[in-house]
Amino acid sequence: KAGVTQTPRYLIKTRGQQVTLSCSPISGHRSVSWYQQTPGQGLQFLFEYFSETQRNKGNFPGRFSGRQFSNSRSEMNVSTLELGDSALYLCASSYGTSGGDSQYFGPGTRLTVL
Amino acid sequence: AQSVTQPDIHITVSEGASLELRCNYSYGATPYLFWYVQSPGQGLQLLLKYFSGDTLVQGIKGFEAEFKRSQSSFNLRKPSVHWSDAAEYFCAVGDSGGGADGLTFGKGTHLIIQP
């Protein structure tokens, strides 16, 4: 099976812009979770989607949003970008919800905000 | 709230030597536990997981980990490291209650392999 894919791999944006990242899960997986990885804060849970419904959201401002489509592909959007949003954004998929199943990660999207 | 502590930020090991990476967790019940590895510029690769049953779990690449409830630990071990094992290692805890809170990760341990 193909693994989790994320596009684009690299992005450079300026403050105030918005950005959309895409994630295609492993075939048959219904859950997609997003994580932000920074040197200072480490890996932090953003949100999880299961069967097109947001199941939970981490402690991030409303500028961070996402959605999941009927084919389980997911997108996350960050509006009004700030310098602190520069990070590696990782997507993970699992068959069941994140709590009870193994999550498999994509290669990430490296976002740089100037 | 659940938490994970990886006490060692960096560890240096000679090639061929044994390895143990420490992980302590805080969780109200029996947790789901994971070890992931991340190479530079890459995503995370699942090494092994513990859900229940045998407390010694085997993973890929010759790694194993032991769940010790009394010590709230889930240490990762490998009997003989290879230069290709140099990477960042993350311990994580998941919600065994079936929630959707994602994984809680430790800060990671950077493994350096000396020739």
Side-chain angles (χ1 to χ4, degrees), chain B residues 83-104:
Chain B
W83 63 266
S84 59
D85 293 323
E88 192 83 16
Y89 290 79
F90 294 94
C91 179
V93 60
D95 181 5
S96 63
D101 294 333
L103 297 176
T104 299

PDB file of all heavy atoms in Angstrom, chain B residues 83-104:
ATOM      1  N   TRP B  83      25.141   2.472  12.293  1.00  0.00           N
ATOM      2  CA  TRP B  83      25.261   3.905  12.008  1.00  0.00           C
ATOM      3  C   TRP B  83      23.942   4.473  11.464  1.00  0.00           C
ATOM      4  O   TRP B  83      23.600   5.623  11.684  1.00  0.00           O
ATOM      5  CB  TRP B  83      26.394   4.187  11.010  1.00  0.00           C
ATOM      6  CG  TRP B  83      26.181   3.581   9.649  1.00  0.00           C
ATOM      7  CD1 TRP B  83      26.626   2.382   9.207  1.00  0.00           C
ATOM      8  CD2 TRP B  83      25.433   4.159   8.561  1.00  0.00           C
ATOM      9  NE1 TRP B  83      26.219   2.156   7.912  1.00  0.00           N
ATOM     10  CE2 TRP B  83      25.489   3.224   7.486  1.00  0.00           C
ATOM     11  CE3 TRP B  83      24.739   5.351   8.379  1.00  0.00           C
ATOM     12  CZ2 TRP B  83      24.866   3.468   6.268  1.00  0.00           C
ATOM     13  CZ3 TRP B  83      24.117   5.600   7.160  1.00  0.00           C
ATOM     14  CH2 TRP B  83      24.193   4.657   6.124  1.00  0.00           C
ATOM     15  N   SER B  84      23.178   3.628  10.773  1.00  0.00           N
ATOM     16  CA  SER B  84      21.921   4.092  10.189  1.00  0.00           C
ATOM     17  C   SER B  84      20.842   4.347  11.251  1.00  0.00           C
ATOM     18  O   SER B  84      19.767   4.859  10.928  1.00  0.00           O
ATOM     19  CB  SER B  84      21.400   3.082   9.178  1.00  0.00           C
ATOM     20  OG  SER B  84      21.184   1.827   9.793  1.00  0.00           O
ATOM     21  N   ASP B  85      21.107   3.962  12.504  1.00  0.00           N
ATOM     22  CA  ASP B  85      20.133   4.223  13.570  1.00  0.00           C
ATOM     23  C   ASP B  85      20.195   5.660  14.074  1.00  0.00           C
ATOM     24  O   ASP B  85      19.330   6.078  14.865  1.00  0.00           O
ATOM     25  CB  ASP B  85      20.369   3.267  14.749  1.00  0.00           C
ATOM     26  CG  ASP B  85      20.079   1.817  14.400  1.00  0.00           C
ATOM     27  OD1 ASP B  85      19.124   1.580  13.631  1.00  0.00           O
ATOM     28  OD2 ASP B  85      20.807   0.937  14.885  1.00  0.00           O
ATOM     29  N   ALA B  86      21.183   6.421  13.653  1.00  0.00           N
ATOM     30  CA  ALA B  86      21.275   7.816  14.071  1.00  0.00           C
ATOM     31  C   ALA B  86      20.040   8.578  13.606  1.00  0.00           C
ATOM     32  O   ALA B  86      19.746   8.606  12.402  1.00  0.00           O
ATOM     33  CB  ALA B  86      22.532   8.451  13.494  1.00  0.00           C
ATOM     34  N   ALA B  87      19.316   9.148  14.539  1.00  0.00           N
ATOM     35  CA  ALA B  87      18.042   9.808  14.227  1.00  0.00           C
ATOM     36  C   ALA B  87      17.475  10.387  15.518  1.00  0.00           C
ATOM     37  O   ALA B  87      18.099  10.324  16.575  1.00  0.00           O
ATOM     38  CB  ALA B  87      17.050   8.810  13.624  1.00  0.00           C
ATOM     39  N   GLU B  88      16.270  10.934  15.411  1.00  0.00           N
ATOM     40  CA  GLU B  88      15.532  11.426  16.576  1.00  0.00           C
ATOM     41  C   GLU B  88      14.471  10.391  16.919  1.00  0.00           C
ATOM     42  O   GLU B  88      13.760   9.902  16.029  1.00  0.00           O
ATOM     43  CB  GLU B  88      14.866  12.758  16.235  1.00  0.00           C
ATOM     44  CG  GLU B  88      14.319  13.522  17.419  1.00  0.00           C
ATOM     45  CD  GLU B  88      15.383  14.344  18.135  1.00  0.00           C
ATOM     46  OE1 GLU B  88      16.466  14.556  17.553  1.00  0.00           O
ATOM     47  OE2 GLU B  88      15.133  14.766  19.287  1.00  0.00           O
ATOM     48  N   TYR B  89      14.375  10.068  18.191  1.00  0.00           N
ATOM     49  CA  TYR B  89      13.432   9.042  18.638  1.00  0.00           C
ATOM     50  C   TYR B  89      12.395   9.672  19.562  1.00  0.00           C
ATOM     51  O   TYR B  89      12.735  10.402  20.492  1.00  0.00           O
ATOM     52  CB  TYR B  89      14.164   7.917  19.363  1.00  0.00           C
ATOM     53  CG  TYR B  89      15.000   7.080  18.416  1.00  0.00           C
ATOM     54  CD1 TYR B  89      16.244   7.538  17.988  1.00  0.00           C
ATOM     55  CD2 TYR B  89      14.529   5.880  17.912  1.00  0.00           C
ATOM     56  CE1 TYR B  89      17.007   6.792  17.094  1.00  0.00           C
ATOM     57  CE2 TYR B  89      15.283   5.118  17.027  1.00  0.00           C
ATOM     58  CZ  TYR B  89      16.516   5.592  16.621  1.00  0.00           C
ATOM     59  OH  TYR B  89      17.265   4.858  15.727  1.00  0.00           O
ATOM     60  N   PHE B  90      11.130   9.363  19.293  1.00  0.00           N
ATOM     61  CA  PHE B  90      10.034   9.926  20.056  1.00  0.00           C
ATOM     62  C   PHE B  90       9.196   8.825  20.686  1.00  0.00           C
ATOM     63  O   PHE B  90       8.793   7.876  20.006  1.00  0.00           O
ATOM     64  CB  PHE B  90       9.124  10.774  19.162  1.00  0.00           C
ATOM     65  CG  PHE B  90       9.770  12.009  18.627  1.00  0.00           C
ATOM     66  CD1 PHE B  90      10.371  12.000  17.380  1.00  0.00           C
ATOM     67  CD2 PHE B  90       9.772  13.185  19.366  1.00  0.00           C
ATOM     68  CE1 PHE B  90      10.973  13.138  16.882  1.00  0.00           C
ATOM     69  CE2 PHE B  90      10.371  14.331  18.875  1.00  0.00           C
ATOM     70  CZ  PHE B  90      10.974  14.315  17.624  1.00  0.00           C
ATOM     71  N   CYS B  91       8.932   9.002  21.959  1.00  0.00           N
ATOM     72  CA  CYS B  91       7.995   8.152  22.665  1.00  0.00           C
ATOM     73  C   CYS B  91       6.653   8.884  22.701  1.00  0.00           C
ATOM     74  O   CYS B  91       6.622  10.123  22.806  1.00  0.00           O
ATOM     75  CB  CYS B  91       8.508   7.900  24.081  1.00  0.00           C
ATOM     76  SG  CYS B  91       7.464   6.876  25.116  1.00  0.00           S
ATOM     77  N   ALA B  92       5.553   8.153  22.583  1.00  0.00           N
ATOM     78  CA  ALA B  92       4.239   8.790  22.574  1.00  0.00           C
ATOM     79  C   ALA B  92       3.229   7.934  23.314  1.00  0.00           C
ATOM     80  O   ALA B  92       3.354   6.706  23.379  1.00  0.00           O
ATOM     81  CB  ALA B  92       3.775   9.019  21.138  1.00  0.00           C
ATOM     82  N   VAL B  93       2.236   8.595  23.863  1.00  0.00           N
ATOM     83  CA  VAL B  93       1.146   7.903  24.551  1.00  0.00           C
ATOM     84  C   VAL B  93      -0.175   8.261  23.876  1.00  0.00           C
ATOM     85  O   VAL B  93      -0.389   9.406  23.459  1.00  0.00           O
ATOM     86  CB  VAL B  93       1.120   8.258  26.052  1.00  0.00           C
ATOM     87  CG1 VAL B  93       0.912   9.759  26.259  1.00  0.00           C
ATOM     88  CG2 VAL B  93       0.048   7.488  26.788  1.00  0.00           C
ATOM     89  N   GLY B  94      -1.023   7.267  23.724  1.00  0.00           N
ATOM     90  CA  GLY B  94      -2.338   7.460  23.132  1.00  0.00           C
ATOM     91  C   GLY B  94      -3.420   7.174  24.148  1.00  0.00           C
ATOM     92  O   GLY B  94      -3.178   6.567  25.190  1.00  0.00           O
ATOM     93  N   ASP B  95      -4.622   7.574  23.834  1.00  0.00           N
ATOM     94  CA  ASP B  95      -5.742   7.460  24.744  1.00  0.00           C
ATOM     95  C   ASP B  95      -6.374   6.079  24.611  1.00  0.00           C
ATOM     96  O   ASP B  95      -7.054   5.802  23.628  1.00  0.00           O
ATOM     97  CB  ASP B  95      -6.771   8.558  24.415  1.00  0.00           C
ATOM     98  CG  ASP B  95      -7.975   8.527  25.336  1.00  0.00           C
ATOM     99  OD1 ASP B  95      -7.994   7.726  26.281  1.00  0.00           O
ATOM    100  OD2 ASP B  95      -8.894   9.325  25.107  1.00  0.00           O
ATOM    101  N   SER B  96      -6.167   5.235  25.604  1.00  0.00           N
ATOM    102  CA  SER B  96      -6.720   3.883  25.551  1.00  0.00           C
ATOM    103  C   SER B  96      -8.223   3.881  25.774  1.00  0.00           C
ATOM    104  O   SER B  96      -8.879   2.851  25.644  1.00  0.00           O
ATOM    105  CB  SER B  96      -6.033   2.986  26.584  1.00  0.00           C
ATOM    106  OG  SER B  96      -6.282   3.455  27.899  1.00  0.00           O
ATOM    107  N   GLY B  97      -8.774   5.047  26.115  1.00  0.00           N
ATOM    108  CA  GLY B  97     -10.220   5.145  26.275  1.00  0.00           C
ATOM    109  C   GLY B  97     -10.949   5.328  24.961  1.00  0.00           C
ATOM    110  O   GLY B  97     -12.166   5.532  24.943  1.00  0.00           O
ATOM    111  N   GLY B  98     -10.235   5.244  23.872  1.00  0.00           N
ATOM    112  CA  GLY B  98     -10.857   5.352  22.558  1.00  0.00           C
ATOM    113  C   GLY B  98     -11.137   6.769  22.129  1.00  0.00           C
ATOM    114  O   GLY B  98     -11.900   7.015  21.194  1.00  0.00           O
ATOM    115  N   GLY B  99     -10.506   7.714  22.789  1.00  0.00           N
ATOM    116  CA  GLY B  99     -10.748   9.105  22.425  1.00  0.00           C
ATOM    117  C   GLY B  99     -10.023   9.491  21.154  1.00  0.00           C
ATOM    118  O   GLY B  99      -9.385   8.672  20.498  1.00  0.00           O
ATOM    119  N   ALA B 100     -10.140  10.739  20.826  1.00  0.00           N
ATOM    120  CA  ALA B 100      -9.528  11.242  19.596  1.00  0.00           C
ATOM    121  C   ALA B 100      -8.703  12.462  19.931  1.00  0.00           C
ATOM    122  O   ALA B 100      -8.809  13.493  19.263  1.00  0.00           O
ATOM    123  CB  ALA B 100     -10.612  11.571  18.576  1.00  0.00           C
ATOM    124  N   ASP B 101      -7.894  12.341  20.946  1.00  0.00           N
ATOM    125  CA  ASP B 101      -7.063  13.452  21.373  1.00  0.00           C
ATOM    126  C   ASP B 101      -5.696  13.437  20.729  1.00  0.00           C
ATOM    127  O   ASP B 101      -4.836  14.214  21.108  1.00  0.00           O
ATOM    128  CB  ASP B 101      -6.887  13.421  22.891  1.00  0.00           C
ATOM    129  CG  ASP B 101      -8.201  13.661  23.606  1.00  0.00           C
ATOM    130  OD1 ASP B 101      -9.071  14.334  23.017  1.00  0.00           O
ATOM    131  OD2 ASP B 101      -8.355  13.179  24.737  1.00  0.00           O
ATOM    132  N   GLY B 102      -5.494  12.521  19.792  1.00  0.00           N
ATOM    133  CA  GLY B 102      -4.196  12.428  19.173  1.00  0.00           C
ATOM    134  C   GLY B 102      -3.184  11.829  20.117  1.00  0.00           C
ATOM    135  O   GLY B 102      -3.501  11.403  21.231  1.00  0.00           O
ATOM    136  N   LEU B 103      -1.972  11.774  19.670  1.00  0.00           N
ATOM    137  CA  LEU B 103      -0.885  11.268  20.481  1.00  0.00           C
ATOM    138  C   LEU B 103      -0.209  12.420  21.224  1.00  0.00           C
ATOM    139  O   LEU B 103      -0.092  13.525  20.703  1.00  0.00           O
ATOM    140  CB  LEU B 103       0.153  10.568  19.608  1.00  0.00           C
ATOM    141  CG  LEU B 103      -0.317   9.320  18.850  1.00  0.00           C
ATOM    142  CD1 LEU B 103       0.794   8.803  17.946  1.00  0.00           C
ATOM    143  CD2 LEU B 103      -0.768   8.249  19.811  1.00  0.00           C
ATOM    144  N   THR B 104       0.225  12.114  22.442  1.00  0.00           N
ATOM    145  CA  THR B 104       1.051  13.056  23.187  1.00  0.00           C
ATOM    146  C   THR B 104       2.486  12.559  23.111  1.00  0.00           C
ATOM    147  O   THR B 104       2.765  11.419  23.499  1.00  0.00           O
ATOM    148  CB  THR B 104       0.599  13.150  24.650  1.00  0.00           C
ATOM    149  OG1 THR B 104      -0.753  13.619  24.695  1.00  0.00           O
ATOM    150  CG2 THR B 104       1.487  14.106  25.431  1.00  0.00           C
TER     151      THR B 104
END
